[in-house]
Structure formats: C-alpha cells, structure tokens
Amino acid sequence: MENTLAGPQQQKLSHERWELILRGVDAAPWDWDLLTGEVYLSPTWWNMLGYVNAELPATSGLMASFFHPEDAAAIDHTFTTALQGGGETWRTECRMRHKQGHYVPVLLQAYIQRNTQGQAIRLSGTNTDQTEREKSEATLRESEARFRALTELSSDWYWEQDEHFRFTVLGGKVYNSTGFTMDQHLGKTRWEIPCLNLGEADWEAHRKILNAHAAFRDLEIRRPDTGTTVHWASVSGSPMFDADGQFCGYHGIGRDISIQKQADEEIHRLAFYDALTGLPNRRLLLEQLKRALHTNARHHRHGALLFIDLDNFKTLNDTLGHDVGDLLLQQVGQRLSDCVREADTVARLGGDEFVLVLEDLESDRHAAALQADSVGKKILANLNEPYDLVGREHHSSPSMGITLFDAHSSSVDDLLKQADLAMYQAKAAGRNTLRFFDVSMQTELESWVAMEFDLRDGLQGGEELVLFFQPTVGAQGQITGAEALVRWLQPTRGLVMPENFIALAESTGLIVPLGRWVMNMACEQLATWAQSPTTAHLSLAVNVSARELREPGFVPGVLKFLQLWKVPPNLLRIELTESVLAHRVDDIVGKMNELKAHGVGFSLDDFGTGYSSLSYLKQLPLDLLKIDRSFVRDVLNDPNDAAIARTIVALGTTLGLSVVAEGVETQAQRDFLASIGCFAYQGFLFGSPVPIEEFGRFLAPRGDAH
Ligand code: C2E
Ligand code: CA
Ligand code: CA
C-alpha cells in the first residue's frame, strides 16, 4: 500500500530533481528511442542552437540535419562503430548549425541501451557547447606561440625541471649560451653538466635553496669553453606547485652573460694588472699582501717580501730608447715568474721596480730567512743572465731588499718600506746583491749559511764531532751512568757547543746524520763498559731531537746499533724534550713503545719548560723525568722554583717515574733536592761533561768516605 501511494509522488520528486540539476549544467540532454523513433530534446538543447523550446518537430532525423556537412561522414562513422561494436557509449565532437547560420562546436556523449540480444534500442545523451573551451584553448596556443617567438628572438631561454631538479623543458637559444644542446640538458640536473666556476660546496648551497623550494636569482655558471667561445650563463628560477599545492619542480629563465663577463674581466685586468708585463700592479699587490699577512698569521707561517730594482736601468732607457727598455722589463717579469712557485706573487710596482711575495715559508724565523735568501740568490743569478734585446745581447743586474713577515708584522705599507730600505742598502753595498731589512738577521744569516756549509763538511766522516760524557749519580754519590753530549771541534772555530749548532742542524735536517753518529758512538761506549765488571752497570743517556724521531728510519736505526755493538738495550736511555709533543703524538708513542718493547728507556728532558700537558705525559711510555736546570739553579732562593721542583717530584711518584735533577752545582742544592725526595743528580757538583779519556776519574773510589 505504501508503495502504490508513494509511486507517483516519488516519480514527481525524481523528475523535479532532474529538472533542477540540468538547469545548472551546460550539458543539454536528449533521449532517442530507436525502436519507436521517438525523440526527446531538452529545452537547453534547443537553446544551444538558438531555438525556443520545440520550435521544430522532434523527429529522429532532426538532430542529423543540424550537423555541419563536412562533419556528417565522420559522425556517421563513429555512430555505426559505437552501435555495432557493442559498446555502451557513443562520443563525438562536431559542429552544429545555429539558427543564425553559424556553427557551434559541440561535444556529443550518449549512453547506448541494448536489449538481451545486444541490439541497440535507445540512446540517451547530452550535447555540450564547446565554444568557450575552444576559445580558451586557442588563447593558450596563441600565447605559447607568442612566447616561443619571443624566446627564439631573445638571448634568454626558458627552462623547467621536475621535482628531482632534472631538466624537462628548454626553450630558446640554450646552446649558444651554454655550449650544451637541449638533449644534453634533458634528464640531467644542473650540477651534472660540466661547470668551471662552481665547486661541490657551491652546488651543495644551491641544492639547499632548491630543497627549501625557494626562488633563486642570477646564479652565474661558467660552462666549459668551446673553441674560443666563453660560455657564461645567469639563471633564475622559482618553484612550481600543482593544483594540490604539491611541489612539482622548478621553472625559470637563463640568460647569456658571456659578453658582460668578458668585459668585467677586461676591466679587472686593466685595473689590477700592469699593461706592459701582464703582472699584478701595485693595487693588486697590496691586496694580495694583505691576504698573505692574514693567512700566514692563521697558520703561524712566515712570508717574505722581496723588493727588486734593476741596476742602471735609466741608462739603458736613455741610450737605447724606451721600446728597448720595455723589452727588458718584459723579460725580467717573465724570469721572475719562472723563479717562484705558483702560490707566490710577482708584481710590478712601476718603472723598473718589482716586488715578490713569498708565502708559506717555515714557521721558524731563521729557517724562513734561509728560504727567502735562497730564492733571492736564485733570482739574482737568473737576472744576471744575458738578455736578448732585438738581437743585441744585454747585461743587467738587480739590487734586492728582503723583509720577513709573520703574525706579528705591522702593516703592508711598513713592510714595503722595510723591503725598499733594504734594497737601498743593497745598492749602497755596490749593487747586484741582496740585503735583509733586519741587520742582525743579515749577519746572523750570513754566519748561519757559513756554519751550515762547515757543518755539512764536518759531518761527512764525523771526524769533527766529539762526544763528551757527564756522570749521573745516585743518593750516595755513586756513579750510575752518564749523559752523552756532543761537541763540534771545528778547525777554525774551535770547540763549538751544542747550543750554537744543534738548532741549525735541526732546521737543515743535518741533525739526522749527526744523531746517527752519536747513537753509534754511545752504543760503542756501552759495549766497552760492558767488558769490565766495574762499569758494566753504567747506563748512558742520549739526547734525541723531535726531528730525528719523526724520521721513518729512526727505530730500525737504533735497533741496528744495539745489535751491532751487542749492548743490553736497558742500559740505553733516550732523552726527549717536550717538543716531541708538538707533532703527531700517536706516531711518537708508537715508536717509543716499539723501542721500549726491546728494553730501551725514555726520559723527559728539561721537564717543566715546555708544552707539558699532563694528559700527554700520561700517554708517553716514560721511565724518568729530568727537572730542568733552570729550576735547580734557584731552588734555594726562589720559592716558585722550589715549588715546581717539589711538584715534579710528587708527579714522578704519582706516575711511577724516577726523577733526576740536572744542573746541580752546590751541596746545598743537592741536600734540598734530597729533602724533597729527589735522589738522582747530574751537575758540575759531581762532574762536568768530559771526553771519555777523562771519564775514568769519576769511577775511582771516592775519597770522601772518611
Ligand atoms: P741538555 O740535554 O739539557 O744537556 C745538559 C746541559 O747542561 C749540557 O749542556 C751540560 O753541559 C749542561 N750542564 C750539565 N751540568 C751542569 C751544571 O751543573 N750547571 C750548568 N749550568 N749546566 C750544566 P751542553 O752540553 O751544552 O748541551 C746543551 C744541549 O744540547 C743539551 O741540553 C741537549 O739538549 C743538546 N744536545 C747535546 N748533545 C746532543 C746530541 O747528541 N743530540 C741532540 N739532539 N741534542 C744534544
Ligand atoms: Ca739531556
Ligand atoms: Ca736537560
């Protein structure tokens, strides 16, 4: 009952619903019963073609009569294939004639109803006016064409990338400006294409921007040159997001800036380089020098400034003319560049004045001076070679002033003044020579150079070296061993003490053969002592510089001498200073452990004066600490030194190390040291260093027993 009552009511509702829905959409419904030929065309269907509702009788042939004659065949074709193909839908696009004579683009879509035999019995569908859509499509096509025409004309290009920043679209003259074709771009990211000016770090920074989906502007990229063409591009881009706000890539423009870049370079060249020689000019020099001062300060290295002035250049200019003078300056510039490393700077200040900046010299001032001196000498020799000036052989010489700089150096201007001043001293000294700004350095340098020469000479067979021995004594004054101390007996200089040549030997590397000589002599002495029961227990301490320990061959060298002389390794004690801690500690510790495994002992010399870091101290496999003689000297008068001595003894006890006091000169010093727990000594009180022939007197029984 309910159903029969609700039937017509529901039908009305459904009808109403459809009426309302259809008013809102621009699709015009129609319905065609193929069996009866009955056709229903909705009011909107009529409106689309300019008619009012049912102005013409709705017959089955009516719809077809509106088709554009040119479209009729195509429509017919889709219609029959849809019907005979057994499909459920028919869809076609066509033009239909408007009442006013023009044609309306229409999209025709229909559902095909079939009977149980599969035969089409009814078509229900809609017509949609396509005028607006076609118009907007045409506008889009036009704007694209217009855009393409523009990018073809301009030097800019358009690009797009996907969400992984790989190129997907490129429009315009991209090849001209990058040297890479579109194909070479497509599928690649920007950083996968060869580039000359941006490194991994730059690209990393760029990727940060991209990953943040931020826009970027004027990224300048230099692509590899092709032939003589330089490729510089400037690109800007912004992120793209799809309708859902999802990031979907980047797009942007690129611009050829090769010509600007070349112009910039030219301007830079004119502003910072000397036109005649192509060398940096004063302006660039000052800049470089400022930078060099800064980096050297950071790396604790020395640098040197060399001021060079050609001797008698004015005469050449006056007699042979400026053109010939220019030729000489060019050749001098070239030779100077050839004399230095790439990192160094050669500049022309103007006239016949040149300046060189040497960077990254040794951190030791003397060593740095030696380096600068050797470069200076090389330049002197080089500039003294004859020149070929338009077929005429010419001789020229320079005068040179050198000044060193480091972290504490004053201003760039001061340095130039110093080098200039030194150059005048070189002129005053008769020209064709070099002078250091620092007079004491000059003399010192000269004596060093001479001494290095002598030392090299003296080391050849070792006959100028002499080993002295200073006794070490225990609590009861008994001799426990000795320290080997080297002397240099030079024919003209006499007996040279270590403090006057060890540093030089270290900075020149001569310490390595010297140390080997000492180690051999020490082992030989231990072998001699081993033969007599009165001396067989004596140990021998040998000083080893950090420089020697760093040598790869150090450990095998020591082991070789021990075996050669058949010496018990536990009688050899190597003395190191805290300066070994300044370099790779792990390497040092490794070497010490290796020797220690064979029984060799280690002392830390001059303790308390150096780098002393307790954490390092714990790492080093030591046996003994030596209280430096500077503390022992004033141990009775200076409470500070007494406190230090006390601390060292306590430290030794804590770390399980023996403690020796060196430089003990008086009985009072010895007694004080004993009172704080130090029972091993070395010093003039017990004996000065002596040649081995004299060492025997320390071994005689002491007469003070009674
Ligand atoms: P060092 O290892 O501290 O040697 C102790 C220095 O103190 C020696 O000076 C010694 O003559 C001096 N001396 C000893 N007793 C006294 C004293 O009671 N009072 C005073 N005022 N001085 C005393 P020397 O022989 O001139 O050696 C100086 C430095 O040269 C040594 O200091 C050591 O660092 C180095 N050296 C000596 N021989 C060698 C060597 O064969 N190789 C290496 N690498 N360095 C060496
Ligand atoms: Ca020593
Ligand atoms: Ca010492």
Side-chain angles (χ1 to χ4, degrees), residues 483 543 575 577 604-607 626-629 662 682:
E483 175 173 4
N543 296 285
E575 290 197 0
T577 61
L604 194 60
D605 207 351
D606 307 342
F607 186 65
K626 289 186 90 167
I627 306 177
D628 188 64
R629 58 183 183 278
E662 64 178 14
Q682 184 181 341

Side-chain angles (χ1 to χ4, degrees), residues 466-468 470-471 483-487 496-502 506 511 514-515 517-519 541-546 548 575 577 605-606 626 628-629 632-633 662-666 669 682-689:
V466 191
L467 210 52
F468 274 41
Q470 181 177 32
E483 175 173 4
L485 294 158
V486 73
R487 304 298 177 245
V496 189
M497 297 304 278
E499 61 174 11
N500 294 322
F501 68 91
I502 290 289
E506 283 173 345
I511 193 74
L514 183 147
W517 181 87
V518 171
M519 190 58 74
V542 173
N543 296 285
V544 169
S545 303
E548 296 173 62
E575 290 197 0
T577 61
D605 207 351
D606 307 342
K626 289 186 90 167
D628 188 64
R629 58 183 183 278
V632 174
R633 191 183 57 214
E662 64 178 14
V664 182
E665 296 181 358
T666 66
Q669 286 170 342
Q682 184 181 341
F684 295 162
L685 176 65
F686 309 97
S688 319

Side-chain angles (χ1 to χ4, degrees), residues 66-292:
F66 285 102
F67 292 148
H68 194 293
E70 286 171 16
D71 295 347
I75 298 166
D76 211 41
H77 177 70
T78 60
F79 181 67
T80 32
T81 30
L83 251 58
Q84 285 162 11
E88 286 205 318
T89 57
W90 173 47
R91 184 191 160 97
T92 189
E93 276 183 67
C94 62
R95 291 167 286 179
M96 293 180 85
R97 200 184 57 251
H98 194 272
K99 192 179 179 186
Q100 284 165 7
H102 65 275
Y103 282 88
V104 180
V106 170
L107 171 66
L108 210 140
Q109 302 176 95
Y111 170 69
I112 306 167
Q113 196 184 346
R114 295 176 189 274
N115 63 15
T116 44
Q117 282 86 51
Q119 194 193 357
I121 54 169
R122 186 174 171 175
L123 277 174
S124 315
T126 57
N127 280 10
T128 313
D129 186 343
Q130 300 285 83
T131 314
E132 282 310 310
R133 214 194 85 195
E134 289 209 342
K135 230 189 252 170
S136 69
E137 270 175 10
T139 327
L140 197 67
R141 266 196 306 275
E142 257 168 55
S143 88
E144 262 176 19
R146 215 175 297 136
F147 179 71
R148 204 165 312 126
L150 278 176
T151 51
E152 290 300 315
L153 281 175
S154 90
S155 63
D156 294 3
W157 63 92
Y158 172 79
W159 54 267
E160 269 179 32
Q161 293 169 342
D162 64 14
E163 69 272 32
H164 302 296
F165 318 118
R166 291 178 301 223
F167 284 105
T168 51
V169 175
L170 279 158
K173 295 182 175 159
V174 65
Y175 176 78
N176 296 0
S177 322
T178 65
F180 289 96
T181 61
M182 306 227 180
D183 284 352
Q184 285 171 308
H185 278 86
L186 292 178
K188 288 209 176 112
T189 62
R190 216 181 276 291
W191 48 91
E192 282 166 351
I193 300 169
C195 167
L196 297 182
N197 66 319
L198 301 178
E200 203 26 63
D202 301 308
W203 287 122
E204 198 49 57
H206 180 62
R207 279 195 290 269
K208 259 199 195 124
I209 296 176
L210 298 183
N211 286 323
H213 303 161
F216 64 91
R217 280 199 158 274
D218 305 325
L219 175 70
E220 296 190 348
I221 304 174
R222 182 177 186 175
R223 298 298 184 192
D225 306 347
T226 47
T228 53
T229 316
V230 175
H231 297 291
W232 272 101
S234 165
V235 289
S236 302
S238 54
M240 296 189 291
F241 300 93
D242 65 15
D244 302 330
Q246 281 289 330
F247 170 73
C248 60
Y250 262 85
H251 64 172
I253 54 149
R255 168 166 301 178
D256 186 345
I257 53 163
S258 307
I259 293 176
Q260 278 126 278
K261 278 287 172 185
Q262 271 163 305
D264 286 354
E265 262 167 44
E266 184 60 15
I267 289 167
H268 179 83
R269 208 180 53 72
L270 289 175
F272 290 102
Y273 290 85
D274 168 45
L276 179 64
T277 58
L279 295 174
N281 61 16
R282 174 186 282 269
R283 211 152 124 202
L284 184 54
L285 169 79
L286 294 180
E287 240 173 59
Q288 309 256 52
L289 199 52
K290 234 180 258 165
R291 189 187 44 74

